[in-house]
Amino acid sequence: MALRNRFVSVLFVAATVFGAAAHAAPPAVDVPAEVARIQRLAEDAPMQALDRVETVRRMLGPGASYENRQKLLRMETWLREDLGQLDASYALDRTSLQLAVAHGDAAGAAEARLGAVRELVDKHSLDDAQVLLDQTTAQAPADVSLTFKVAAARTQGDILNLRARFDEALAAYLRGLRLLQGEPGESGKRAALYGRIAQVYINADNPAKAIDSADLGMAEKRMPLRPLASLQFTRAVALIRLGRDDEGIAAFEKALATALRAGLLGMEAAIRGNIADYYLIRRDYVRAEQEARKALVASIKVSDRNVIQMARANLGFALMGQGRIDEGTPYVDGVIAEMRKEKTTADLEAMLDEKGRMLERAGQYQRALEIVREQQSLQQQSARVARDRAIAALQEEFDAHRRSQQIVLLQRENKLKDAELGNRRTVQFATTFAAVLTVLAGVVVYVMYRRAARSNAQLKELNGQLEFRSTHDALTGLHNRRSLTGRMAGRGATGRDDRRHNPRDGVDCFVLMDIDHFKSINDRWGHGAGDAVLVEVARRLAAAVRDTDMVVRWGGEEFMIYAPATDTGSVAGMAVRILETVGTAPVDAGSCRIPVTLTAGVVALPPVTGDAFDWQCAVRLADWALYQGKAQGRNQARIVTRLCAAAATVMAALERDGDGAVVGALLALDCVHGPRQDPARQPQAAVRDAGTGAGTGTGALHVLAGT
């Protein structure tokens, strides 16, 4: 304490001396050299760099040149943003904007306006932020700096990322990264963009790609501590998502050490909150409590409401998990009350679900029942939303019918117009002696021709839409049964549907799959969650097969894959890949994360000629193999590799005794299993990250938004 008092006294004396000197004559300060020195200092000691830039601004005073004042303002804005002092950073942006407008600096004003856009993004006013960003970029002069261009691309990516438009967000970040390629001294900005790209991959449920992007960012040299901490943090989240827990916790500790070294309180709070959430998931409630308390202290210092909510929720559930219900309940109830005010239904459902389970585990069944009833009320609201979506689907069906009628009307109109064109041409040829009438008739013919061309274009577009809808499933976008039937009609005499392949190239595979326990998903979380599971499983299946393969929604929760000309040795590998792709990661249904597995029946036989064993027989046999997989515990694929009897004999036995051992004796079967499921791990409510809501300890870890 005495040392700190002496230090304050020295600063006071120094300030007094500088103040007296300022009245006498402004000191000579080499601002460009100071800015370069502060940038180097910020890499390892951002707080010291901030103190230095404030000192230089005081030394220059209000009489300094516009260029020097603006340089120091932009430097201080950047430092405060890196340190998480966002309110102070936005205030400096407003000061910089006023200064630029007063001096007619359009480029400087455009760069300062981006601060107002970032402020709207942090408040999640995304529509207003997009409007202001578009206006700012449209009004910016042609000579704007590289800093403005990169910041605009980064801000656009942040808006798109928060809207879950991940492909467009990735394109925006890559655009900013291309602008910085080859630019010396911009490693920090490049590292920050790599960090944001990694966050996009985390949000898109691709943690392996996130690790690759984080590694590219960490390969940059001489970067500031904040982007380094952000990259380490994002890499830790990705490692946990991949199940590499020991590496993930070590990466969290590295990120925390970097944040503490730089004085990044907001980053510290987010990291500790995610560590606490990790221990909650694994029911290590003592360690979860320790980290949650530290996260709460740090989040209160930076006044970040979202991070405070996450820390309080984690602390409450950690205490309740230890049986300290009376201590933990006030923290949890406080967060629930704020969520009720904000009407964040999905997060509120997750909080109520976790609280009910905690009370039930503690034996307080009456209170748990009250929580369950409130959660059911919220689920009914979600059901009404699902009903509204169903009504919208019916409206779409009505619109499709109306478009069909429009096609008929357009066809009739085309015939009338064609007849009218013929008549006018006859009149034109008959009245060639009158030049004026000929010109007028030619104009009329041209106009009618253009109208007919437009009508034909509309007809072609509507026909294309109807053809697509007739061959694809409306919910998942996959092929439907009609589409597969049409393809099978063209397989030809050799059994192949692709004439470029030689029949000896491989086998034709029919994979019939069924989502395990799908009815329980609908019964517990509602049909909205069931639809989300169907859509995600369809996406994963499409990603797991070749471009030449055909993925079909067979009906309900059943899917079919037709893979022609498949190498015999790769059939089992294909089945494993399908099971792994679908079953490794749970499906994020918004309010919950649902583990999903498949049971499949696979028929891998060379194409045969004649009618004894056609594709329909193969599908029937695959259905039998699927039934065997379900009977043997699900989460597996049963592969028919060879017929041990004539095809007609096998099919006759299948019709007589479809579920018995008679059919199995006539076949050669192989079996592969899906990813092992942890029986203790139940479907968990989704946890928002520190930038969007409170964590509950029941979901995966999340990346800090806006880092």
Side-chain angles (χ1 to χ4, degrees):
M1 179 65 71
L3 178 61
R4 187 177 67 181
N5 290 338
R6 286 198 298 274
F7 180 70
V8 171
S9 300
V10 171
L11 285 180
F12 177 78
V13 172
T16 305
V17 172
F18 280 125
H23 286 293
V29 179
D30 186 352
V31 174
E34 284 290 344
V35 169
R37 190 177 299 115
I38 292 168
Q39 286 177 332
R40 291 192 298 271
L41 184 61
E43 293 175 357
D44 298 315
M47 290 299 297
Q48 296 180 25
L50 181 60
D51 292 339
R52 181 59 187 169
V53 75
E54 289 177 330
T55 300
V56 174
R57 284 185 62 194
R58 286 195 301 269
M59 291 169 61
L60 288 176
S65 67
Y66 164 71
E67 289 77 10
N68 288 339
R69 292 173 64 191
Q70 194 68 280
K71 284 180 183 178
L72 292 171
L73 268 174
R74 301 312 307 163
M75 175 61 67
E76 185 175 351
T77 301
W78 167 63
L79 284 170
R80 290 192 183 277
E81 182 182 355
D82 259 9
L83 288 168
Q85 302 175 13
L86 298 181
D87 291 339
S89 173
Y90 299 145
L92 289 170
D93 274 318
R94 290 189 286 271
T95 302
S96 175
L97 176 60
Q98 294 172 358
L99 190 62
V101 171
H103 288 80
D105 181 7
E111 187 171 342
R113 284 193 183 95
L114 289 179
V117 180
R118 289 193 295 273
E119 185 173 8
L120 290 171
V121 172
D122 287 338
K123 294 178 179 177
H124 286 261
S125 300
L126 301 182
D127 291 337
D128 295 338
Q130 186 64 64
V131 170
L132 184 56
L133 177 62
D134 293 341
Q135 292 176 351
T136 301
T137 53
Q139 296 171 3
D143 60 341
V144 290
S145 64
L146 177 64
T147 300
F148 171 83
K149 296 177 182 178
V150 174
R154 183 194 69 181
T155 306
Q156 181 65 80
D158 292 344
I159 294 173
L160 294 168
N161 192 14
L162 288 173
R163 291 185 184 276
R165 293 159 59 180
F166 301 130
D167 291 344
E168 298 174 70
L170 181 61
Y173 291 143
L174 290 175
R175 186 166 60 250
L177 197 59
R178 283 193 295 270
L179 291 171
L180 292 172
Q181 292 302 322
E183 291 292 331
E186 299 293 354
S187 59
K189 293 179 182 178
R190 285 193 293 269
L193 284 171
Y194 277 121
R196 279 171 159 77
I197 291 171
Q199 292 165 22
V200 169
Y201 283 125
I202 287 287
N203 294 337
D205 198 21
N206 193 343
K209 278 281 191 179
I211 291 176
D212 293 341
S213 299
D215 290 341
L216 288 173
M218 294 171 68
E220 293 286 343
K221 299 178 180 178
R222 304 289 299 176
M223 75 177 75
L225 292 178
R226 180 176 179 81
L228 176 59
S230 177
L231 287 166
Q232 292 169 337
F233 177 38
T234 306
R235 193 172 188 277
V237 173
L239 289 168
I240 295 295
R241 291 274 184 92
L242 290 172
R244 297 158 60 179
D245 291 3
D246 293 339
E247 298 176 68
I249 289 297
F252 271 135
E253 295 296 340
K254 284 185 180 180
L256 183 59
T258 304
L260 292 172
R261 173 185 168 193
L264 306 173
L265 291 176
M267 179 73 72
E268 176 193 352
I271 295 171
R272 290 191 185 279
N274 276 268
I275 295 175
D277 199 57
Y278 169 82
Y279 287 125
L280 278 176
I281 294 172
R282 282 144 186 84
R283 298 188 179 183
D284 189 346
Y285 297 118
V286 175
R287 299 180 70 176
E289 178 191 355
Q290 295 171 355
E291 293 299 331
R293 290 189 183 279
K294 294 176 183 178
L296 183 58
V297 171
S299 62
I300 291 174
K301 289 180 181 179
V302 296
S303 301
D304 190 326
R305 184 177 58 82
N306 290 327
V307 183
I308 290 173
Q309 278 192 0
M310 179 179 72
R312 286 177 175 168
N314 286 340
L315 178 56
F317 286 131
L319 292 169
M320 294 176 75
Q322 298 175 62
R324 298 152 64 184
I325 302 298
D326 293 338
E327 291 183 64
T329 301
Y331 290 103
V332 174
D333 287 346
V335 176
I336 289 175
E338 292 186 22
M339 288 182 174
R340 286 196 184 102
K341 291 179 182 178
E342 297 169 357
K343 297 181 179 180
T344 54
T345 305
D347 291 339
L348 182 56
E349 282 186 29
M351 288 288 293
L352 292 172
D353 179 68
E354 183 67 12
K355 182 182 176 183
R357 282 192 278 130
M358 288 289 185
L359 292 173
E360 182 182 1
R361 193 178 299 128
Q364 300 186 15
Y365 301 111
Q366 182 63 34
R367 294 176 63 187
L369 180 60
E370 294 173 359
I371 296 299
V372 169
R373 286 174 177 170
E374 183 177 356
Q375 185 185 14
Q376 287 175 343
S377 176
L378 291 173
Q379 288 175 342
Q380 288 174 359
Q381 295 177 12
S382 301
R384 285 195 292 270
V385 173
R387 182 190 61 192
D388 293 341
R389 286 199 297 266
I391 292 174
L394 290 175
Q395 181 64 41
E396 173 63 23
E397 184 177 351
F398 171 75
D399 292 340
H401 178 67
R402 186 174 59 183
R403 284 193 292 269
S404 299
Q405 292 178 333
Q406 289 176 348
I407 290 174
V408 175
L409 293 175
L410 285 171
Q411 290 173 338
R412 293 176 181 175
E413 185 179 354
N414 284 337
K415 291 179 180 179
L416 292 174
K417 289 178 179 178
D418 289 339
E420 187 176 355
L421 282 172
N423 293 334
R424 290 188 178 276
R425 289 192 182 109
T426 302
V427 173
Q428 180 184 8
F429 290 131
T431 58
T432 53
F433 63 91
V436 175
L437 293 179
T438 302
V439 172
L440 292 176
V443 171
V444 171
V445 169
Y446 175 74
V447 171
M448 296 305 296
Y449 176 79
R450 291 298 300 272
R451 289 182 180 176
R454 285 196 297 270
S455 298
N456 285 329
Q458 293 177 8
L459 178 62
K460 182 177 180 181
E461 180 181 356
L462 291 172
N463 278 328
Q465 293 178 5
L466 287 176
E467 181 179 358
F468 180 87
R469 290 176 184 275
S470 68
T471 58
H472 289 74
D473 178 57
L475 177 64
T476 62
L478 297 179
H479 293 278
N480 58 18
R481 286 198 180 199
R482 178 179 179 181
S483 181
L484 178 65
T485 303
R487 184 165 179 179
M488 292 298 101
R491 294 181 78 227
T494 63
R496 291 287 183 197
D497 66 334
D498 188 347
R499 296 182 182 177
R500 295 173 298 174
H501 293 289
N502 188 287
R504 294 174 296 176
D505 287 344
V507 294
D508 287 353
C509 285
F510 294 87
V511 185
L512 186 61
M513 297 155 287
D514 187 282
I515 298 177
D516 295 333
H517 306 296
F518 183 78
K519 183 178 183 300
S520 65
I521 295 175
N522 279 335
D523 291 343
R524 183 172 182 181
W525 289 280
H527 290 279
D531 288 347
V533 169
L534 289 173
V535 171
E536 179 59 15
V537 169
R539 185 192 69 78
R540 295 182 184 182
L541 289 176
V545 300
R546 305 170 302 181
D547 292 339
T548 56
D549 298 342
M550 188 176 193
V551 185
V552 181
R553 185 180 179 191
W554 199 242
E557 67 271 24
E558 285 190 330
F559 297 85
M560 165 74 74
I561 293 176
Y562 170 57
T566 302
D567 181 73
T568 306
S570 64
V571 173
M574 178 184 69
V576 171
R577 184 171 67 254
I578 291 170
L579 295 176
E580 291 284 348
T581 301
V582 174
T584 298
V587 173
D588 187 352
S591 62
C592 55
R593 294 174 63 80
I594 304 173
V596 176
T597 59
L598 293 178
T599 302
V602 184
V603 173
L605 296 175
V608 297
T609 60
D611 298 329
F613 193 90
D614 57 10
W615 71 273
Q616 293 167 322
C617 296
V619 172
R620 176 69 181 89
L621 194 56
D623 185 57
W624 177 87
L626 168 61
Y627 178 83
Q628 300 305 310
K630 283 191 172 186
Q632 297 300 322
R634 295 183 170 87
N635 190 20
Q636 58 183 273
R638 294 279 168 155
I639 306 170
V640 179
T641 58
R642 184 168 56 86
L643 300 183
C644 300
T649 302
V650 173
M651 297 311 298
L654 191 63
E655 293 298 325
R656 290 194 308 271
D657 188 15
D659 298 331
V662 176
V663 178
L666 301 177
L667 304 173
L669 284 174
D670 196 1
C671 178
V672 296
H673 293 272
R676 188 176 66 84
Q677 301 294 310
D678 185 359
R681 181 176 181 180
Q682 297 299 322
Q684 302 167 346
V687 182
R688 302 284 179 179
D689 62 27
T692 58
T696 66
T698 60
L701 307 183
H702 295 271
V703 181
L704 175 64
T707 55

